[in-house]
Structure formats: C-alpha cells, structure tokens
Amino acid sequence: MNRMLPVAFTALLFCAPAFGQTVDSQGAKQLSDDLSRYVGKQALDKGILKVSVEGDAYKILFDFKALAEILPKQGQVKFDFAPYALLVKPRSDGTWNVSMDFSQSASFEFNGPEGLQSTQFSIKDGKGSGVYDPALAAFISGASSLAGMTMASKDAKQQTEASTGAGTATITGTKAANGGVDFTTSQKISNFVETIKFNDPEKGLNFPVTVKSPELSVEASGKGVQTRPLLDLLAFAVANEDEKTLKANQAQLKSLLLAALPVWERIDGNYGFKDFAVDSPLGTFGATQLSTAFGSDGVSQNGKVTYGIKASGLTVPQQLLPSWSVALLPTDIDLNFGGANIDLDSMAKKAIEAFDLNQDPPLSPEFGDQLKADFLAKAPKVVIGHSTVKNKDLEIALEGEMTSFGEKPDANLTVDVAGFDKIMTRLQDAAKSEPEVGQYVPAALMVKGFAKTLPDGRLEWVVNTKADGSVTINGVMLKPADPAAGDGVDNSDGADDSSGGDNGGGDNGGGDNGGAGAKLNP
C-alpha cells in the first residue's frame, strides 16, 4: 500500500516513451509492463492499476476499491474513494504531457489506538497538468488549481474540521550539474480555517481552538535531487520483496544505496501565513505575518541544517498577563537555529559497507557505538544564527554555537540588548503598586552589572563555557575550571585570578573591539 498510493498520481514517472510513439493497445501493454517494475505485477493483475487507450493518450487509473480488497480484513479499514486517473500523452521530444482531474469526495475509517477514527474530505474542481521528462525522472513544468477543499476527522477525544478556498501551485525542474534535478515549487491557498475540538475527560480537556489565515503560501526548492537512483532503489525493492532474495542480492542493494548519495545537495522550504490568528477560550493570539523555514544539506561531509521562525505584529490576550508586563511583550521575532559540521556522508558509507542482512541485527551494537563516536569526533555544532526579539522600546539580539554535547558543553553565546534601561524603569514603576515585581529588580541589576556598553549604547554579554567546566562573561571568569580528576588541591582561587587576569586584562572577547557586537549588527 505504501508503494502503490503515490503511484496513483505519478505512475508515468517510471517510463520513457518512444519518439513519435503511436498511442495504441500495444503501447498500453508496454506501459503496463514498464509500470510493473515499480508497483509490482500484483497491482496490475488485481486491477489496482489499469492502463488503457483514451483517444490520443493513455489513461492510467488507480482504483482504491481494488486496493481495499487485498488489505487484511482484520484491519477493518473502510475506503470510499473514487478512482484517480492520469491522462498521459507521449511527445515527439521523448517527454510526456500529463493531465489530471483530482476532484474527490472520499472517506475512510479504521480502528486506531483511540478507538474508531474516521475522516472525510472533498476537493472541488481540482485540476493539474504538466510536462514530465523520463530522462530526469521529474516534471520540467507543471501547474495545478482547486476551487476549495474540506476535511473532517473524528476520534473519541478530538474532532477536527478544516477548509480552504481556492488554491494554485506550480513546479519547474531542470537538470542539475551533478546529474540530479534542481526544482522549485510554489503554492498559495486562500481562506485556510481549521477548528479542533478537544474532549478528553481524563485530562480535563474540553474546549475548541480555531486556526485561520486568509492566505497560506508554500515555497520550496531543491538542488541535485537524485531522482533516478531513488527510482532504481524502488525497482529493487519491488523485485526483492522475498527475504531470501533480498539477502542474496544485498551487494546490489549496497551499490544502489551508494549511487543514490547524497540524495540531494540542498533542500529549502518556507511556510507563510498572512493575518494568522488562533481563537481560543482564553482569547485570540495572532500575527500579521508568520512564517517557518527549513533547510537541509544532503548526505555530505560538512552538512548544514537550518530552521527559522519569523513573526511580526504579534498579539496575545492581554487579560492573561499582569498589566505591567504588556509593554515588555515582543511584537516581532526572528529566530534562527540549526546545525553545522554534520558528517552524514562518512556515517552512511560506513553503515552501507558494514551491514549484513544475514546477521541479526544487520549492524552490531558495537558498530553503532563506534559510528556515534566517529560522528561526534567531527565536532558537529548546534548553531544559533542571528536572532532578534523586539518591540517598540526593546530589542534583544543573540547568536552563538555549541560544539560539544556532554554535561559540560563547549559553547559561546553573544547577547545584545537595546532599551535595557526602559525595562528597569518599567519594573521599578510596577514594583510601586505590585510589590511582588520588586523581586525581579535586583536580578536585573545583577545581570546589567556583567554587561559591557557598546558605542551605540547597547549592552552586550559574551558568555563562554568550556568543556572543562569554566564559564566567563565578557572575558571575566564567573566560574573556574573544575579540578582535574584525582586532584585533591583546591586551586579555584588561583584559577580565578589567572583566568580573570588573562581574559579581563586584555579585554579579549569583550573589550574595545566590541566582542561579537559588530557581528550581531544585521
């Protein structure tokens, strides 16, 4: 089933038409035979996938009901799906014209961990078309649209209803320098609304939440995606479903896995919402703009992974907060984090070389421990990219990295704050009418005491922690290195004097050069 479902929409991706091929019954049979390499002969024999001539094109039909017939009956899965069909027509240049009507009104239900779960969805006036290049195993162009979509799901503790207005999507693909495929895709959907009703007496939950946005957009791009080697792996899986055959052909499997590396060079994506709002019993949380971004290198020796969350015009229900804190709330955030120096290439190649399907497990626990040690020896990093949290009076900027992952990390973090004095003023004013706020004032003053004032008036803290347990702020030792194992001499005072003098006297990392302050300037 996992293999067949995607084929409902991309069945032709695995076949190359002959130049100037005539559309006839013989061509339909050839197309069926070609498809069987990737979906299995049973899918064609059982009528799950059918190929026929439709005018001057081939019709590839995926029948969900036929699929349901071969599923285990004890699973009690019920389908009500109309068949999906692709019309594919060979072009004189070896590519395919592809068109599809994906309008649908469907439902399914099954017994899950929370009892009976059901889902119904509909897609109104869904249409798509494009040009597929078998040589690239990718669409070189494509576009789709729909007039609207609805979805409803229900289980014993939760009910969800979602809907959208009209939507459009486009995709383009080109040959990459490494032989893979570069692609870009863009999608926009209007009037997104999702309501979730929680009803879980055991946890005391019984309330609705509604998420909505007048426009949802998705942008994605990829470089060097290894589409053809990935299809070769799929064909191998179909041809070697039997465990005995798979073990006998594991040398070929290893060769195919290596050929698919690095899977892709880079993939990036971004989800964006306009006038995003969450209605809840506590009030409405919102943002005029909200987006999340993700990026990942493929399997490489020095890979990077990046995440980002950006929001502007943030609002929260003010009745939830003390009045004095409202002015301190951020209205804009831009958070960026991820990883660097990630060596997945060495791990993947060593694992592919070492695994043996004739053993149980195929990779020994000792090998796994060594692989982990080798990975950490390459000093992968957790990275905080330039990030900001701000409102009209205050801006906090930070960035840093961590290069070890034990109880005593080797890390550095630089924090800049503009408007710190306004924070102090608001805390002191609030303490006059709300004495409990006064407890925060000494802590804020202590934090300020560690700061360095930059030329533009911002306050900066450069915090360094090392694997030896030492901690410095702006070059001044806050905590000395831990005593070496077996060292019975208490040399903490000496360590403090020495380290503080070396770092503080020269003002390294926090002196006139501004530490990382210049680096933090966007």
Side-chain angles (χ1 to χ4, degrees), residues 250 351 354-364 367:
Q250 69 172 328
F355 81 78
D356 186 349
L357 299 177
N358 294 300
Q359 298 179 358
D360 187 17
L363 291 171
S364 68
F367 178 83

Side-chain angles (χ1 to χ4, degrees), residues 48 109 126 182 338 388 404 428 496:
I48 299 170
E109 63 180 40
D182 295 342
T388 58
S404 66
Q428 290 166 344
D496 193 4

Side-chain angles (χ1 to χ4, degrees), residues 346-375:
S346 297
M347 292 181 67
K349 290 177 178 177
K350 288 178 181 178
I352 292 171
E353 180 183 0
F355 81 78
D356 186 349
L357 299 177
N358 294 300
Q359 298 179 358
D360 187 17
L363 291 171
S364 68
E366 294 78 14
F367 178 83
D369 292 341
Q370 184 60 52
L371 202 64
K372 178 181 177 181
D374 292 344
F375 175 74

Side-chain angles (χ1 to χ4, degrees), residues 77-306:
V77 178
K78 295 182 179 179
F79 285 96
D80 183 11
F81 279 73
Y84 271 115
L86 290 169
L87 286 179
V88 299
K89 181 180 179 180
R91 294 158 52 105
S92 60
D93 61 358
T95 61
W96 293 91
N97 280 332
V98 186
S99 63
M100 179 181 185
D101 185 333
F102 55 91
S103 303
Q104 181 66 270
S105 181
S107 65
F108 62 91
E109 63 180 40
F110 61 94
N111 286 314
E114 302 295 338
L116 184 65
Q117 300 181 42
S118 62
T119 298
Q120 302 86 38
F121 73 91
S122 67
I123 300 173
K124 183 179 179 181
D125 197 22
K127 293 181 171 58
S129 62
V131 177
Y132 180 80
D133 187 349
L136 295 180
F139 279 92
I140 57 177
S141 65
S144 66
S145 64
L146 54 83
M149 180 170 56
T150 62
M151 186 276 292
S153 65
K154 184 178 181 180
D155 61 33
K157 298 180 180 180
Q158 182 175 306
Q159 182 176 338
T160 301
E161 295 181 356
S163 65
T164 74
T168 59
T170 61
I171 187 170
T172 61
T174 58
K175 184 176 181 180
N178 69 349
V181 174
D182 295 342
F183 76 88
T184 60
T185 181
S186 177
Q187 182 178 7
K188 284 190 177 181
I189 298 176
S190 64
N191 300 323
F192 170 79
V193 180
E194 181 176 16
T195 299
I196 305 172
K197 297 178 181 179
F198 299 95
N199 185 11
D200 189 346
E202 294 179 1
K203 297 181 180 179
L205 300 177
N206 188 1
F207 62 90
V209 173
T210 299
V211 180
K212 55 188 178 181
S213 170
E215 183 178 289
L216 163 63
S217 61
V218 182
E219 306 285 341
S221 63
K223 289 186 176 297
V225 182
Q226 298 298 300
T227 50
R228 178 57 61 186
L230 291 173
L231 290 183
D232 290 341
L233 276 169
L234 176 60
F236 177 88
V238 172
N240 293 270
E241 289 183 330
D242 178 76
E243 182 178 353
K244 183 178 180 180
T245 305
L246 178 61
K247 290 178 178 180
N249 292 328
Q250 69 172 328
Q252 182 186 0
L253 173 60
K254 292 185 177 189
S255 177
L256 291 171
L257 288 170
L258 289 172
L261 298 179
V263 187
W264 62 76
E265 291 184 7
R266 181 74 184 180
I267 286 182
D268 291 281
N270 181 285
Y271 280 80
F273 298 86
K274 286 185 177 180
D275 296 326
F276 180 80
V278 179
D279 296 332
S280 75
L282 300 175
T284 299
F285 301 79
T288 55
Q289 294 282 347
L290 175 65
S291 64
T292 61
F294 167 78
S296 174
D297 290 344
V299 178
S300 63
Q301 293 185 356
N302 187 23
K304 294 180 180 179
V305 177
T306 57

